[in-house]
DNA sequence: TTGTAAGCGTTATCAC
DNA sequence: GTGATAACGCTTACAA
């Protein structure tokens, strides 16, 4: 029994009023007497009536749903960001549909297609490492779906973006390392077509340029996110004739690789070799020596991305922005791995 | 321009055939000539037609959507599980709506309500720490929504469950520690009304009972998941007259707390104190000494949970199961923190 | 093979 | 205040 779902028609029959009236009562339409509203709502509860969002959304032409695409749900940075997005959506009674691109451009396109078909009102995305073109993002906008990018963004695509201050942070971190007396700093980067990594590198290069140091070009190496690669490169450099006395990397995993390599070569960290990571993974503070890193406040990034939708896009009017880059300030965590002197500040 | 979304009626007009025919062509209905199908599909692409899942689902009475509720998206165990669920759903062209309970029973109920209104076909849930009753889960079933529990399950609720072999694993881990020569093993547990923690404790107690050891009752302490609490308790025990020579905990964070406490007291791990964690967090293998732990294969748990829906529930027939507990075997990772002797095996 | 029409559950519009 | 009625975009009997 109880097979079929209760609809407003069932309520209408039960209460002897029309379905449209029921609908209005449940939606707190002002034209309806407060007592009637209460009565209807009570009856709805009694009969275990559940509003059918699908039907309502079809009728209304909106889905009250936001789609999210990230490379991997189970990477700390992204799961934190999603948690932030979810919090804000929950406050606004919006649902979240989540897809993973697995760093594949093809899957990212498929995910976008799915989300368009699902009628999402907004898409929040951090693109895959493979993504080089922004055409698929244009499709989203063409489908009248609001687009918000975070972290990994396509520079050629205008619109809302929520980003870390990557350039600035890398700049400051580099300065800190120089302050600590490191003079031959190597830089291990990521895929340089991704804005986040590009900017971290820029920050590093600018700080070096503004200093009196000169860094040999082969100390600056792109696209070695994989810890194994990082270890190999670190080993080569540390065994060469011109040895770096510090490593700045774009991820804690790279840094960990460097640290282990250094240990295996009998180098003392931070005295003989300084190491600075990025992302403040859980393990960063737990290894010995604790790894200096950058807290990206990824949950806050997610929150802001979602808030942009509700602030600027949902009830858009003439004066509203259509284009904005919002910067979430990272926090530099200087720990033992890059600390040779007392800090001046 | 291009304001309105293209519908099958637009396609129909454009091609001079009826909308229903278009629908069938797009859905590969066998009655339609292959050439026509191709023609229609091509035109659809040309006009940038996007199938509206909402409308189709409303008509079909299904949503091809699975709801997921977990305490926190951004906890490793759960984000891995969700990644597994997502993978399987993606293969089947199903979408995922994700909610967090934040360990609150009230929020869990609200999430369930949302998902029912969203018309999900199935709910996959790991209940909050607060959840003691299963009435809200019954509501789900009453709404003709398939229910699959994983990890944290309500024992009083029948149906499909995907679980770790918690009891068994804790049993084996305890035996391993005894093999290593530890004789006074303390147990730091979690909230005991949650099946996972209850069973880990049972496993520990059984192994002790089957051994020749006798453990004082105050060595066995429930409900201290918070690392700070774990540290406090460890400190008290390690400074008392009767000192444990090992700790088995139900989480790596507890274990880390114990490890740091031991270090601060000048105790040598693993020689003077053995430590065994649970969950194999990223940091477990990276700290010194590396922490022994249990890999729960959470992604696999997620995958299995989702697969159950597609195997047993989606095309249910008379002979199908309605009740099953599936066990995902954990993997015991014995590392230096609990390794005093060479292993026999 | 093709088209007509009804209906999924809601809400908006228009009457009364 | 209240109630018909049409529509949202799609699928599916049923007819032709």
């Amino acid at each position: 029994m109880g097979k079929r779902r209760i609809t407003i028609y069932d309520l209408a029959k039960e209460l002897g009023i029309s379905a449209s009236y029921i609908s209005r009562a449940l939606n707190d339409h002002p034209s309806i007497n407060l007592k009637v509203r209460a009565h209807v709502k009570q009856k709805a509860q009694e009969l275990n009536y559940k509003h059918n969002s699908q039907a309502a959304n079809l009728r209304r032409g909106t889905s009250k749903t936001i789609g999210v695409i990230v490379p991997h749900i189970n990477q700390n940075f992204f799961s934190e960001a999603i948690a932030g997005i979810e919090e804000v959506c929950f406050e606004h009674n919006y649902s979240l549909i989540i897809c993973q691109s697995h760093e594949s451009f093809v899957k990212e396109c498929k995910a976008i297609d799915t989300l368009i078909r699902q009628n999402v009102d907004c898409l929040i995305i951090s693109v895959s490492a493979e993504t080089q073109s922004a055409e698929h993002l244009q499709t989203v906008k063409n489908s009248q779906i609001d687009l918000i990018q975070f972290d990994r963004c396509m520079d050629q695509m205008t619109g809302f973006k929520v980003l870390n201050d990557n350039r600035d942070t890398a700049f400051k971190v580099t300065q800190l390392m120089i302050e600590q007396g490191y003079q031959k700093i190597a830089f291990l980067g990521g895929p340089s077509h991704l804005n986040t990594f590009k900017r971290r590198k820029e920050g590093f290069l600018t700080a070096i340029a503004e200093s009196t140091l000169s860094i040999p070009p082969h100390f600056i190496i792109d696209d070695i996110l994989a810890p194994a690669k990082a270890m190999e490169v670190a080993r080569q450099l540390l065994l060469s004739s011109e040895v770096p006395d510090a490593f700045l990397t774009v991820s804690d995993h790279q840094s960990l690789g460097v640290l282990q390599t250094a240990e295996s070569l009998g180098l003392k960290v931070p005295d003989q070799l300084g190491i600075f990571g990025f992302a403040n993974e859980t393990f960063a503070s737990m290894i010995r020596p604790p790894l200096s890193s950058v807290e990206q406040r990824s949950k806050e990034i997610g929150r802001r991305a979602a808030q942009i939708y509700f602030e600027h896009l949902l009830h858009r009017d003439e004066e509203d922005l259509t284009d904005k880059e919002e910067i979430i300030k990272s926090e530099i965590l200087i720990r033992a791995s890059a600390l040779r002197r007392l800090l001046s500040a």
Side-chain angles (χ1 to χ4, degrees), chain A residues 56-338:
Chain A
N57 293 337
L58 175 61
R59 175 60 230 244
R60 283 205 184 105
T62 161
S63 66
K64 296 187 87 174
T65 297
I66 288 180
V68 179
I69 303 177
V70 293
H72 292 282
I73 304 173
N74 49 338
Q75 281 178 13
N76 218 270
F77 176 84
F78 295 117
S79 69
E80 287 284 336
I82 294 174
I85 296 173
E86 200 270 352
E87 269 183 35
V88 174
C89 286
F90 188 80
E91 288 165 17
H92 291 265
N93 255 298
Y94 268 57
S95 305
L96 222 57
I97 299 187
I98 295 181
C99 302
Q100 308 188 73
S101 66
H102 290 281
E103 303 286 14
S104 141
F105 179 66
V106 173
K107 283 197 181 161
E108 187 168 291
C109 290
K110 241 194 115 178
I112 286 184
D113 204 59
T114 303
L115 293 175
I116 294 178
R117 296 147 89 108
Q118 289 286 347
N119 244 328
V120 296
D121 295 342
C122 171
L123 172 62
I124 300 181
I125 188 172
S126 193
V127 299
S128 85
E130 270 182 33
T131 304
Q132 310 255 6
S133 138
E135 272 175 52
H136 59 323
L137 300 184
Q138 194 53 55
T139 317
V140 174
K141 285 203 171 169
N142 293 346
S143 305
Q144 319 303 323
I145 295 173
D146 291 312
L147 179 73
I148 299 169
Q149 299 187 68
F150 75 98
D151 190 53
R152 296 198 201 155
C153 306
M154 293 280 96
D155 283 338
Q156 65 265 47
M157 186 83 194
T158 61
F160 286 94
K161 292 173 189 168
V162 183
L163 295 159
N164 273 133
D165 51 348
N166 284 299
R167 192 186 291 119
D168 206 42
T169 300
F171 178 82
K172 282 185 193 149
V173 165
T174 309
Q175 284 194 326
L176 275 171
M177 297 186 88
I178 296 173
E179 250 177 61
Q180 289 292 314
Y182 296 110
Q183 302 198 338
K184 304 179 132 192
I185 309 175
F187 178 85
L188 306 189
S192 60
H193 67 276
L194 292 177
N195 60 319
T196 51
F197 300 116
K198 194 162 64 187
R199 292 183 192 176
R200 286 176 203 171
K201 185 176 170 184
E202 287 168 7
F204 170 76
L205 292 177
T206 311
I208 295 297
E210 289 187 8
S211 77
T212 58
L213 304 183
S214 87
I215 303 292
H218 71 281
F219 274 23
I220 297 157
I221 306 162
D222 276 325
D223 209 1
I224 40 171
L225 278 187
K229 270 200 202 169
M231 289 178 84
E232 193 189 311
V233 166
R235 194 178 169 78
Q236 278 172 17
L237 283 177
L238 291 171
L239 290 176
S240 69
S241 55
E242 195 169 15
V243 178
D245 63 2
F247 279 84
L248 172 55
T249 75
V250 296
S251 89
D252 287 346
H253 289 93
Q254 290 173 309
S255 275
L256 184 69
V258 175
L259 179 61
Q260 288 172 346
T261 304
E263 274 180 1
S264 76
L265 295 176
L267 289 167
K268 292 250 181 304
V269 175
D271 293 334
Q272 293 170 280
L273 190 73
I275 304 180
F276 222 113
F278 231 105
N280 195 27
E281 304 283 350
T282 331
F283 67 79
S285 60
M286 299 180 172
I287 57 179
R288 294 295 166 244
L291 179 63
S292 303
S293 192
V294 174
E295 166 58 49
Q296 302 185 81
R297 301 174 61 217
S298 38
K299 191 170 184 182
E300 182 62 18
I301 293 181
R303 287 190 60 89
R304 281 307 299 151
Q307 280 168 351
I308 283 176
Y309 175 72
F310 296 105
E311 283 171 16
H312 298 297
L313 297 169
L314 179 52
H315 307 292
R316 188 178 0 230
D317 61 34
E318 300 300 313
E319 309 193 359
D320 255 325
L321 302 162
T322 59
D323 193 330
K324 194 181 170 197
E325 239 182 68
E326 186 147 342
I327 306 295
I328 304 296
K329 286 226 167 94
S330 319
E331 198 182 338
I332 296 173
L333 302 169
I334 181 156
R335 301 196 182 103
S337 76

Side-chain angles (χ1 to χ4, degrees), chain A residues 7-23 25 36 39-40 43-44 47:
Chain A
T7 73
I8 50 173
Y9 282 93
D10 300 317
L11 288 181
K13 203 178 292 173
E14 189 80 15
L15 290 167
I17 27 185
S18 79
S20 54
Y21 203 54
I22 300 280
S23 170
V36 182
H39 186 50
V40 171
K43 196 74 184 175
L47 296 186

